[in-house]
Amino acid sequence: MRNKPQMFLQYNNCITATAESVETKSVDGQMIITRLNDFQIVNGGQTTASLYHTQKKYKEADLSKIFVQMKLTVIKDKDQKNIEVPNISRYANSQNKVSELDLSSNNPYFVQIENLSRKKYVVNPENKNQSLLWFFERANGQYRETLNKQTPSQQKKFKEQNPSQLKFVKSDVAKFINLWDLEPYFVSQGSQKNFIHFTKKINVLVNKSKLPGENLYKKLIANAVLFRSVDKLFGRKNVDAIGDTNLKSFTVAYTLSYFHYLTDNRLNLWQIYEDQKIDDALTNHFKKLLVYVYDHLVKEANNSLISEYAKRESSWNKLKESTYDEDLKKVGAEYLISNEEKESRESEKETDTNDEENRLFIISEIHKFGLKFWDGLYIYLENNLLDGFNINSVEEVLKTIQRKKNLLPRDITIGRKVIHILSENPSFYDDMKDLSKFEDKESVEIKFMFDRLRLLAKDDWKNIIDLANQTNIFTIPELGNVKSIQSSLSKNEQVKEQSLVKAYESIKKLKRFGINI
């Protein structure tokens, strides 16, 4: 590429791409593409990445002589697109081994889980003063790629809020949900087969426009906490394992589904989601059940390969027909919800994050882009046109952030457009920053503050108000602002971001009195 750029076309296969619509115009007798809506590269990602990283790593590299063929398919029907894009990728890669996991990245179901995972902060069970995000890796290497796009200071904050141990992938989603759906025999068949079974189920939902919402996401993450907790309980080879670690995955899968079966799927997953852990008493129930299930599998397999035995539905039916010596619905009653609540949860309409949460997410992203980016974008627009952007509107966003004022709806609209551009062209972010002479400063994490305050329980708020009244550490306006934010959060009402920031900073003053946030 660097030594013979003119031969790139001859040495590389073409790119296969799709779009929802194409706009063209004639220039000097030639038709050129001026706009592609919802453009996706479905085959040729490595070629594209090679070009991008070469230009980034070797500034002197001349890409002007490089040409790449592109096969473009226009699919106007959005529903049909969800079906055909994976098929195009599948058949374009028919010479190479490409798994269903690789082909499903653009499935709307997983796109929605990714969206939720970027917004839903959870408490750190080891340090309740810290909020974390579970990072869903919709495409391979997404975590690393996201990290590499950031400055060293941003990377540090990213790792703190998105610890690598909380990363999960598409096959994990299939595993966690299928175990909750009492299908451990599918999970035991391995990631690929289990995933294929799972996608058949979710594609039915996608075709009916039933996508995951906040309710399902919480169930998913709670099941992730459960799985990792029980997997750890089994132990490690030659250290503390309850049995042959070669049988660990099957035992854990069957144990989790068996627990859900014995408790009628009434485990309070929403409490587990809030706590991000299971307590000692529930842990002991799972320890006993693990041993029981392990012994059952070894006995019933009767010298045959347990790895094969566990793949059969009949093996799962045998475990269900066995008699466990404890009534988990009685001894574990405090961890279960009622049948009525279970039915209510199951019939609950799946909704995305509420409007206020979405609004604050966009506002937070606008601030996270930083003054250096917004100044660079303003400079860029002085000499260039960018579809959908007006230089005066960008200047207003820049001034609003500088003056620490609340962003207006028109500013939020500009922010949405920037997010869309960066999703399609991540390098645009660095390109704009390079134009500015502003210093790179850390931005205010408004969404983080919002989620942290939302995680506070009623008793926490009561303690904050009582302590503030007793110590007089807040000014009268400060106390009024804290009370106002508490009220707005409890009612899911709109809050002004600067008032939110001030309330967060006010509450931080109470740290020396034992109030941590």
Side-chain angles (χ1 to χ4, degrees), residues 7 23 41 55 82 101 107 111 158 176 195 202 233 238 257 278 303 316 352 412 433 508 513:
M7 296 301 292
E23 296 175 16
I41 295 174
Q55 183 71 84
N82 294 331
L101 284 164
N107 187 306
V111 171
F158 177 83
F176 301 149
F195 186 78
I202 65 170
L233 284 177
N238 300 325
S257 285
I278 58 176
N303 294 324
W316 167 235
D352 195 352
I412 297 171
K433 287 176 68 176
K508 281 176 66 176
F513 298 102

Side-chain angles (χ1 to χ4, degrees), residues 315 343 352 460:
S315 303
E343 290 174 9
D352 195 352
D460 295 326

Side-chain angles (χ1 to χ4, degrees), residues 363-376:
I363 288 173
S364 188
E365 291 299 296
I366 290 171
H367 280 273
K368 282 168 70 176
F369 293 147
L371 286 172
K372 191 173 177 67
F373 169 83
W374 288 108
D375 181 54

Side-chain angles (χ1 to χ4, degrees), residues 267-282:
L267 183 62
N268 191 344
L269 296 177
W270 295 267
Q271 189 60 54
I272 292 173
Y273 175 84
E274 295 297 331
D275 296 340
Q276 287 294 297
K277 66 177 181 179
I278 58 176
D279 68 16
D280 291 342
L282 187 55

Side-chain angles (χ1 to χ4, degrees), residues 447-462:
K447 182 60 169 58
F448 170 81
M449 294 177 180
F450 173 76
D451 282 291
R452 189 69 196 96
L453 292 178
R454 280 215 314 169
L455 286 171
L456 292 175
K458 286 183 179 180
D459 288 343
D460 295 326
W461 281 109
K462 185 178 183 305

Side-chain angles (χ1 to χ4, degrees), residues 41-297:
I41 295 174
V42 295
N43 186 38
Q46 288 182 335
T47 299
T48 309
S50 296
L51 290 166
Y52 170 73
H53 288 295
T54 297
Q55 183 71 84
K56 193 169 183 180
K57 187 174 181 180
Y58 304 102
K59 299 295 183 183
E60 77 286 355
D62 180 14
L63 302 188
S64 63
K65 296 179 182 178
I66 288 179
F67 294 90
V68 184
Q69 292 184 80
M70 178 174 72
K71 181 173 70 176
L72 179 66
T73 304
V74 178
I75 308 175
K76 296 180 180 179
D77 187 329
K78 286 187 177 181
D79 293 333
Q80 193 65 22
K81 187 175 182 180
N82 294 331
I83 298 171
E84 292 302 339
V85 168
N87 283 336
I88 291 170
S89 182
R90 181 180 291 109
Y91 300 128
N93 285 287
S94 59
Q95 303 93 334
N96 307 313
K97 186 177 180 181
V98 180
S99 71
E100 287 298 319
L101 284 164
D102 298 322
L103 296 170
S104 62
S105 293
N106 292 323
N107 187 306
Y109 187 94
F110 294 115
V111 171
Q112 179 66 355
I113 288 179
E114 179 188 31
N115 290 336
L116 290 163
S117 76
R118 302 300 187 264
K119 301 174 184 177
K120 294 294 179 185
Y121 283 90
V122 297
V123 69
N124 181 351
E126 306 301 324
N127 177 8
K128 296 212 171 177
N129 303 319
Q130 183 185 21
S131 296
L132 308 172
L133 287 167
W134 284 75
F135 188 97
F136 176 55
E137 197 173 66
R138 182 167 59 87
N140 288 339
Q142 201 171 12
Y143 182 92
R144 185 181 65 255
E145 190 70 24
T146 303
L147 190 62
N148 290 341
K149 290 175 186 174
Q150 302 180 29
T151 64
S153 62
Q154 289 174 328
Q155 286 182 346
K156 182 181 178 183
K157 184 170 286 187
F158 177 83
K159 288 177 182 178
E160 288 174 354
Q161 291 187 0
N162 301 267
S164 58
Q165 66 267 26
L166 294 189
K167 183 183 76 174
F168 64 110
V169 296
K170 297 188 292 292
S171 58
D172 290 328
V173 175
K175 178 168 60 181
F176 301 149
I177 297 298
N178 281 349
L179 290 178
W180 173 252
D181 286 345
L182 309 184
E183 296 177 324
Y185 49 96
F186 270 116
V187 174
S188 297
Q189 291 175 23
S191 295
Q192 183 75 1
K193 289 184 178 179
N194 181 58
F195 186 78
I196 291 171
H197 171 67
F198 179 69
T199 52
K200 288 178 182 176
K201 294 193 294 184
I202 65 170
N203 284 339
V204 173
L205 298 174
V206 170
N207 290 335
K208 294 179 180 178
S209 297
K210 293 183 177 179
L211 296 178
E214 186 172 7
N215 189 43
L216 187 138
Y217 183 74
K218 288 183 177 181
K219 285 167 62 176
L220 170 66
I221 297 303
N223 274 296
V225 173
L226 265 180
F227 182 89
R228 295 182 178 189
S229 299
V230 175
D231 188 73
K232 191 174 180 180
L233 284 177
F234 190 98
R236 297 165 296 165
K237 187 175 182 180
N238 300 325
V239 181
D240 53 1
I242 66 169
D244 185 352
T245 50
N246 292 318
L247 310 181
K248 180 178 182 177
S249 62
F250 312 113
T251 307
V252 170
Y254 270 73
T255 297
L256 282 163
S257 285
Y258 192 43
F259 182 93
H260 294 319
Y261 170 75
L262 293 175
T263 56
D264 297 331
N265 279 95
R266 290 198 286 120
L267 183 62
N268 191 344
L269 296 177
W270 295 267
Q271 189 60 54
I272 292 173
Y273 175 84
E274 295 297 331
D275 296 340
Q276 287 294 297
K277 66 177 181 179
I278 58 176
D279 68 16
D280 291 342
L282 187 55
T283 296
N284 287 331
H285 287 307
F286 275 111
K287 276 183 182 176
K288 293 177 186 176
L289 200 60
L290 262 175
V291 174
Y292 174 82
V293 170
Y294 178 85
D295 291 342
H296 172 88
L297 290 175

Side-chain angles (χ1 to χ4, degrees), residues 481-509:
N481 183 56
V482 169
K483 288 181 176 179
S484 176
I485 291 295
Q486 180 210 4
S487 176
S488 296
L489 291 177
S490 66
K491 297 174 184 176
N492 283 325
E493 294 176 344
Q494 189 173 112
V495 295
K496 294 179 178 178
E497 66 266 25
Q498 294 303 327
S499 297
L500 185 78
V501 172
K502 288 174 183 176
Y504 185 85
E505 294 300 325
S506 295
I507 295 172
K508 281 176 66 176
K509 292 181 182 180

